[in-house]
């Protein structure tokens, strides 16, 4: 217990209230600092493993378009009799549709849209289906089946097996695609 020499030295009740408010404000600042520190520790943004699909979404349409153009040039040069084959035109239309789909998904991805996750998973599933259809179309036109013929299907399946679970389970993906 503190003894005061005079009543003017004795602290007034308002001083205790003021000190208590300052203490509460200091505690709230520490709490908000903790929250900020914790939230910055969560993985977020197109970084880490998300860089790999980001690169694929940029380079994929470019390389697919280049492959399509080279394929058209090869057919014109070495197999002009295939120009009227419906299966060839169907294969080309499928390629163009996948290029457009990849560009649309890339836009969602880089804008960090919520729909990007489902769009990427759908694109990967479509890639498996399209690879299978393209393989059957190629075999029906050219009649050859070897390891090069099956490679696109295997590649699409392995890619999907790795990345579909990542996009569905990753904390970084959940924290990044929120718009």
């Amino acid at each position: 217990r503190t003894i005061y020499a005079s009543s003017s030295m004795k602290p007034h009740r308002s001083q205790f209230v003021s000190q208590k408010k300052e203490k509460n404000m200091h505690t709230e600042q520490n709490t908000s600092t903790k929250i900020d520190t914790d939230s910055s520790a969560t993985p977020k943004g197109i970084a880490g493993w998300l860089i790999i699909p980001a690169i694929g979404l940029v380079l994929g349409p470019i390389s697919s378009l280049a492959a399509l153009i080279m394929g058209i040039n090869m057919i014109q040069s070495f197999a002009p009799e295939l120009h009227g084959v419906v299966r060839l035109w169907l294969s080309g239309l499928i390629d163009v549709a996948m290029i457009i789909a990849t560009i649309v998904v890339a836009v969602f991805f880089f804008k960090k849209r919520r729909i990007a996750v489902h769009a990427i998973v759908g694109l990967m599933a479509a890639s498996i289906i399209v690879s299978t259809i393209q393989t059957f179309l190629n075999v029906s036109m050219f009649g050859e089946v070897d390891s090069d013929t099956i490679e696109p299907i295997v590649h699409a399946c392995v890619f999907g097996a790795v990345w579909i679970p990542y996009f569905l389970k990753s904390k970084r993906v959940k924290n990044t695609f929120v718009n």
Side-chain angles (χ1 to χ4, degrees):
R1 180 175 162 126
T2 306
I3 300 174
Y4 298 99
S6 71
S7 63
S8 64
M9 292 181 69
K10 187 175 176 182
H12 190 266
R13 183 178 183 277
S14 64
Q15 288 177 322
F16 288 117
V17 171
S18 174
Q19 287 173 350
K20 189 173 182 178
K21 283 182 182 176
E22 286 178 16
K23 185 178 178 182
N24 285 342
M25 285 178 25
H26 181 68
T27 305
E28 287 174 11
Q29 287 174 347
N30 286 343
T31 305
S32 67
T33 304
K34 273 186 183 176
I35 291 170
D36 290 340
T37 304
D38 292 342
S39 67
S40 66
T42 59
K44 185 177 176 183
I46 299 174
W49 288 108
L50 273 180
I51 291 173
I52 295 170
I55 292 169
L57 287 169
V58 170
L59 297 180
I62 296 167
S63 65
S64 294
L65 185 60
L68 180 63
I69 291 169
M70 287 190 308
I72 291 169
N73 288 336
M74 282 182 35
I75 289 172
Q76 286 177 345
S77 299
F78 300 110
E81 68 276 2
L82 291 176
H83 281 287
V85 177
V86 174
R87 292 171 289 199
L88 181 65
W89 285 99
L90 180 60
S91 180
L93 286 174
I94 291 171
D95 286 340
V96 170
M98 286 300 288
I99 291 168
I100 292 169
T102 304
I103 292 169
V104 169
V105 170
V107 169
F108 291 150
F109 182 89
F110 289 109
K111 286 188 173 185
K112 299 176 184 173
R113 303 283 181 179
R114 250 182 234 147
I115 195 170
V117 175
H118 297 293
I120 288 172
V121 169
L123 184 66
M124 288 182 209
S127 180
I128 294 167
I129 294 166
V130 164
S131 296
T132 305
I133 292 170
Q134 295 282 37
T135 299
F136 284 120
L137 289 171
N138 289 338
V139 168
S140 73
M141 283 187 291
F142 302 111
E144 297 177 13
V145 178
D146 59 7
S147 62
D148 290 339
T149 309
I150 299 170
E151 184 181 327
I153 298 172
V154 173
H155 179 264
C157 288
V158 170
F159 194 80
V162 170
W163 289 106
I164 289 173
Y166 175 79
F167 274 94
L168 296 176
K169 303 276 183 181
S170 168
K171 288 180 182 177
R172 179 177 298 280
V173 169
K174 287 179 181 146
N175 293 334
T176 299
F177 299 101
V178 295
N179 294 334

